[in-house]
């Protein structure tokens, strides 16, 4: 009985120590991000790449082969023009000290790796996300809902993973290097035109095809959503 009690007590102590270590690592990561974003200035030409909360199903498994932000950013850096920067912004929950899962995600070393390239810029947490979208040449995400918001703002989106809002023809999906090159060529030349009303018709058809059998119903829903967004 006393042996079982001792083992249980030791396990509680180990968990408590582990939690303290994780909290220290999280605070270290928060401090590092603050240092890297302190002198941020929005570049003239950039791709906005929002970081996602980790660990979470939206990156593993829905990110597929691209479950880590470092891999995505490095892949982009190898294929985009030298005069095009990548602006990243951390997910607010990742720096929430009260959110225990966040302690298991990002490390300060992750930011150090992302900072190896001078073309990767860290936007402060206070920077308005919609402004970062609007002022960008394009947006790239793993599965982040920021990609969905970008389409609502009629910005081109490059998708690495498999988000619920993916609609073929309205997002650039990563299949190979050519996918990234096509996205980059189009945003640099400014040849992309995104129509959110058409997007919502296709998204509605994909999500509610069991509810609405006729195209007219999907078009009405799309117009209602688009009208609501335009009023915002």
């Amino acid at each position: 009985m006393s042996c079982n009690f001792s083992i249980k007590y030791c396990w509680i102590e180990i968990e408590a120590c582990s939690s303290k270590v994780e909290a220290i690592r999280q605070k270290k990561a928060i401090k590092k991000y603050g240092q890297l974003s302190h002198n941020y200035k929005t570049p003239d030409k950039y791709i906005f790449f929002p970081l996602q909360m980790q660990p979470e199903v939206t990156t593993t498994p829905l990110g597929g082969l691209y479950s880590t932000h470092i891999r995505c950013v490095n892949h982009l850096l190898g294929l985009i023009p030298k005069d095009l920067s990548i602006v990243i912004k951390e997910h607010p929950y990742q720096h929430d000290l009260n959110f225990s899962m966040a302690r298991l995600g990002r490390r300060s070393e992750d930011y150090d790796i992302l900072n190896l390239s001078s073309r990767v810029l860290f936007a402060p947490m206070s920077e308005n996300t919609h402004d970062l979208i609007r002022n960008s040449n394009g947006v790239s995400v793993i599965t982040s809902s920021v990609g969905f918001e970008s389409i609502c703002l009629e910005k081109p989106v490059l998708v690495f993973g498999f988000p619920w809002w993916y609609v073929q023809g309205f997002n650039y999906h990563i299949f190979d290097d050519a996918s990234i090159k096509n996205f980059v060529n189009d945003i640099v030349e400014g040849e992309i035109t995104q129509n959110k009303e058409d997007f919502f018709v296709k998204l509605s058809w994909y999500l509610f095809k069991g509810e609405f059998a006729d195209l007219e119903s999907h078009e009405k829903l799309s117009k209602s959503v688009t009208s609501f967004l335009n009023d915002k």
Side-chain angles (χ1 to χ4, degrees), residues 223-232:
K223 287 180 180 179
S224 297
V225 174
T226 303
S227 177
F228 172 79
L229 291 172
N230 289 338
D231 290 338
K232 293 299 177 180

Side-chain angles (χ1 to χ4, degrees), residues 47 75-86 119 180 184:
I47 294 172
H75 202 159
L76 282 172
L77 284 171
L79 294 170
I80 64 176
K82 300 297 182 184
D83 63 343
L84 199 59
S85 300
I86 298 177
R119 289 191 289 154
I180 298 180
V184 171

Side-chain angles (χ1 to χ4, degrees), residues 20-34:
K20 288 178 181 178
V21 170
E22 290 165 358
I24 291 171
R25 286 176 175 171
Q26 186 186 23
K27 290 177 181 178
K28 184 180 177 182
I30 293 171
K31 182 178 179 181
K32 170 63 71 173
Y33 190 89

Side-chain angles (χ1 to χ4, degrees), residues 81-100:
K82 300 297 182 184
D83 63 343
L84 199 59
S85 300
I86 298 177
V87 172
I88 64 175
K89 182 185 175 184
E90 184 56 278
H91 192 288
Y93 282 178
Q94 201 72 55
H95 286 176
D96 188 342
L97 294 172
N98 297 315
F99 193 27
S100 58

Side-chain angles (χ1 to χ4, degrees), residues 12 17 20 82 84 88 118 136 141 147 162 166 200 208 214:
I12 291 172
C17 289
K20 288 178 181 178
K82 300 297 182 184
L84 199 59
I88 64 175
S118 60
S136 71
V141 300
F162 304 92
Y166 175 74
F200 281 114
F208 306 114
D214 59 299

